[in-house]
Amino acid sequence: TAVLPALVYAYGLLGSVKELTALSMILTLGCLAVLHDRWLGAAPARAIPFALVVAAGVSALGVAFGAWALAAAAVLLALAAREQIAGRIPLSRLLATGGAGSLALLIAAWPTWIHVSRSFNVAQSIASTSNAGNLHTPLRAIQVLGVWLRGSYKLEPAGTALQLTHVLAGLTLLAAVLGAAHLLRIRAYPLAAWIACMLLAWLGVSESVTTWAGAKTLMLTSPVVMLLAWGGIAALRESSPRGLAQAAGWLGAVAIAGGVLASDALQYHSSNLAPTARYRELASLNSRLAGRGPALFTDFDEYAMYELRGLDIGGPDFVYPPPALGALARGYGYPVKLDRAMPAALAAYPLIITRREPAASRPPAAYGLVWQGAYYQAWRRRAGVAPALAHVALDGAPTTDCRRIEAAAKSASAAATLAAAPAPAVVPVPLAHASHPVRWGHQRGGLVMSSAGRLTASFVLPNGGAWELWAQGQFMPSVELRIDGLPLASIAGQLSGNSLVPNTVPPISVTLARGAHTVSVIRGRSTLGPGDGGSAVLDSLTLTPAASDRPARLDTVAASAWRTLCGRGYRWIELLAP
């Protein structure tokens, strides 16, 4: 009993919050159920396991965890008061026990206590926020019973799965009622009081908080309800040696355990796991450039604020964008368009971190490429280089672009320079007429590969040689790519920080001849692997010529020679001071 809470505390330091809270509830219950009669009258060290469990919750969730810890503490205090009044526990022993527990709680959760006011502010913000996180609607109260036969806790089961969910949830509720009656029958009043306090805390807190925080309170309460249901199963099995009630207890145990395990398996199978390789690259970039920020981050992923914590990053599509650059994105989570920024507005950022994409535009001419990985590029403002006098985005229409180039050149002195960022040569693979299973649907323009199958599409290359194939979409399960029937690569665990922004898989090198080719995207049969039922959406396939200098390339000419830039295909031009 002393070792398990210590393990939970150590587990909590690793940040596994959801698992920690479930284990904390179970072990807190264990402390009360097993130790309450001997705890207060024995050595004061018996208070340390309970203190460690509370410290684990406070360290991971903040002071808001105290609402559930107080439910247990209130029962313990009432029990202690009864024992002390009856003269069965000396006051000195009671104070020593409380002091040992308080000291352990103070030390184990010290980082939270020294910032307790900040923790209170965070808890209040979470409780009152209108941001529902990833929940479009509140969770259902029935989910507290631990059975939900759907791959996502955000969506309601359908058909037979919905009916079976209701049957198993009803069985769990009946068992929980029997468990409550059993506690009262055997006069386990401290344990019954603790469970009652937990349920009251859930009902009270859930009525005063918003959608996201309400889901957290439901998650914290579910283990208690489930344990109460197992108490009802135990009561049935003990009712008679070989009676009908004991058989019902065995059947109920199998049904409840099967429902919970099936629910967990569906969640496990359908979850999107963290894109580990991409986060590792961000962490390595943070180690390489820490302290050289602030940095502008153009890819939407809120976890980047942690992975790049040494760069003081700001994102135009984050909740709180840099004031001068908020217009670079259409809002929270939307793609960032650097071409919308005036050069002077970027002057405060020595670094810009961009995502590697087939048709991406490089940052302004004042920045040079200092690092490139599989997913990201880091650009640094060159020392002593002033912001451009003007930045003009081009749309690829030769006549219109030439007029814009002329206007920019004639607005400057003859000694000024024009810098132009070449538009990448892109060969898109047309997917609109590709062959694929009819059961595959669509999501925000992407093709949802909801089951095993093959997509085949044709494309034509203008030149032979070395090319790079770019796949964009969300690819949690393994997907195989083939060109002209030959295996090229398998991709999996490739996700963006937001489904509004198509994820770009690192380019795949391939050597191809000029002319027509076919590309195949194959999703295999489902496996039992974690995340194999997660997101599988294909947004686009694109090819670009392989060129190591393409991202950083700039063409520069004197302003008087502006005509040489017409008709050559650029993403933008900048007018640079002499």
Side-chain angles (χ1 to χ4, degrees):
T1 307
V3 171
L4 287 177
L7 292 177
V8 171
Y9 174 72
Y11 193 59
L13 297 182
L14 300 178
S16 302
V17 176
K18 294 182 176 64
E19 294 82 354
L20 165 73
T21 51
L23 286 173
S24 296
M25 293 299 97
I26 293 171
L27 290 176
T28 303
L29 177 60
C31 288
L32 280 168
V34 178
L35 297 177
H36 71 83
D37 284 333
R38 290 162 298 192
W39 197 2
L40 299 173
R46 292 289 181 93
I48 293 178
F50 177 74
L52 282 178
V53 169
V54 176
V58 169
S59 297
L61 294 177
V63 294
F65 185 80
W68 285 265
L70 286 175
V75 176
L76 287 175
L77 287 173
L79 182 63
R82 185 192 69 181
E83 297 297 301
Q84 207 281 323
I85 292 173
R88 290 190 287 268
I89 299 179
L91 181 59
S92 59
R93 176 62 60 84
L94 190 61
L95 293 176
T97 302
S102 299
L103 182 61
L105 177 59
L106 177 67
I107 295 173
W110 181 251
T112 301
W113 302 132
I114 60 176
H115 300 292
V116 66
S117 61
R118 194 179 306 170
S119 186
F120 269 114
N121 291 335
V122 170
Q124 186 177 11
S125 298
I126 291 174
S128 59
T129 180
S130 59
N131 183 0
N134 60 352
L135 295 174
H136 299 293
T137 58
L139 296 186
R140 288 79 168 172
I142 190 177
Q143 289 176 278
V144 79
L145 297 169
V147 179
W148 197 251
L149 301 180
R150 181 69 187 263
S152 172
Y153 58 86
K154 298 179 285 187
L155 303 175
E156 189 173 21
T160 303
L162 178 60
Q163 297 174 359
L164 189 56
T165 296
H166 287 160
V167 169
L168 292 173
L171 181 61
T172 303
L173 179 60
L174 177 61
V177 172
L178 291 176
H182 180 62
L183 287 179
L184 297 177
R185 183 177 63 82
I186 64 175
R187 298 184 179 181
Y189 297 130
L191 184 57
W194 179 80
I195 292 176
C197 287
M198 288 292 295
L199 296 177
L200 288 174
W202 169 47
L203 295 174
V205 172
S206 61
E207 287 298 318
S208 59
V209 296
T210 52
T211 299
W212 189 80
K216 295 294 185 183
T217 64
L218 187 147
M219 178 192 70
L220 287 163
T221 308
S222 185
V224 178
V225 175
M226 186 54 60
L227 286 170
L228 190 58
W230 281 105
I233 296 296
L236 285 174
R237 291 189 57 220
E238 294 175 1
S239 60
S240 61
R242 295 184 179 179
L244 181 62
Q246 190 180 59
W250 279 108
L251 291 174
V254 171
I256 292 175
V260 171
L261 291 174
S263 300
D264 290 346
L266 289 169
Q267 292 284 329
Y268 172 87
H269 182 255
S270 300
S271 295
N272 288 328
L273 309 184
T276 308
R278 184 162 63 81
Y279 287 147
R280 281 178 176 167
E281 182 168 300
L282 283 176
S284 70
L285 181 58
N286 182 73
S287 300
R288 182 183 298 267
L289 299 175
R292 302 180 187 179
L296 185 67
F297 188 68
T298 63
D299 183 36
F300 181 84
D301 194 320
E302 291 176 313
Y303 289 106
M305 289 189 285
Y306 174 77
E307 296 291 357
L308 299 177
R309 56 193 179 278
L311 301 185
D312 186 19
I313 68 165
D317 52 356
F318 284 176
V319 174
Y320 301 106
L325 301 175
L328 300 190
R330 288 195 293 128
Y332 176 72
Y334 282 89
V336 174
K337 302 294 185 182
L338 273 181
D339 286 343
R340 298 174 182 167
M342 292 297 100
L346 300 175
Y349 294 91
L351 293 172
I352 297 179
I353 311 299
T354 61
R355 186 71 179 268
R356 289 189 65 189
E357 294 179 347
S361 174
R362 60 154 287 159
Y367 292 85
L369 183 66
V370 294
W371 182 87
Q372 177 171 281
Y375 297 89
Y376 292 96
Q377 296 165 332
W379 305 78
R380 181 185 296 157
R381 177 179 287 278
R382 293 193 291 269
V385 177
L389 301 176
H391 179 99
V392 180
L394 305 177
D395 57 15
T399 302
T400 305
D401 286 354
C402 196
R403 285 200 297 265
R404 291 174 178 171
I405 294 171
E406 179 185 11
K410 291 185 175 181
S411 67
S413 65
T417 303
L418 287 175
V426 175
V427 178
V429 178
L431 299 180
H433 303 291
S435 64
H436 59 79
V438 294
R439 57 185 176 275
W440 288 6
H442 292 272
Q443 175 181 302
R444 296 192 183 99
L447 189 63
V448 180
M449 300 179 288
S450 54
S451 59
R454 177 194 297 258
L455 174 143
T456 302
S458 300
F459 62 95
V460 178
L461 291 180
N463 302 295
W467 290 81
E468 291 179 332
L469 176 65
W470 304 75
Q472 290 187 305
Q474 313 291 334
F475 305 102
M476 186 66 241
S478 180
V479 174
E480 183 183 1
L481 295 174
R482 296 183 181 183
I483 288 185
D484 298 333
L486 299 177
L488 183 62
S490 291
I491 54 178
Q494 301 285 347
L495 302 170
S496 68
N498 187 337
S499 59
L500 293 174
V501 182
N503 174 69
T504 302
V505 178
I508 303 165
S509 299
V510 58
T511 301
L512 297 171
R514 175 183 177 182
H517 299 272
T518 60
V519 60
S520 298
V521 181
I522 305 168
R523 176 173 182 178
R525 296 188 179 277
S526 181
T527 70
L528 297 178
D532 195 69
S535 297
V537 181
L538 175 64
D539 286 287
S540 69
L541 291 171
T542 306
L543 290 102
T544 59
S548 58
D549 65 339
R550 178 169 56 85
R553 181 184 160 195
L554 278 176
D555 292 344
T556 58
V557 299
S560 59
W562 60 268
R563 289 182 179 83
T564 62
L565 299 179
C566 290
R568 295 173 58 180
Y570 293 101
R571 296 298 302 272
W572 52 258
I573 61 164
E574 285 189 341
L575 185 63
L576 308 181

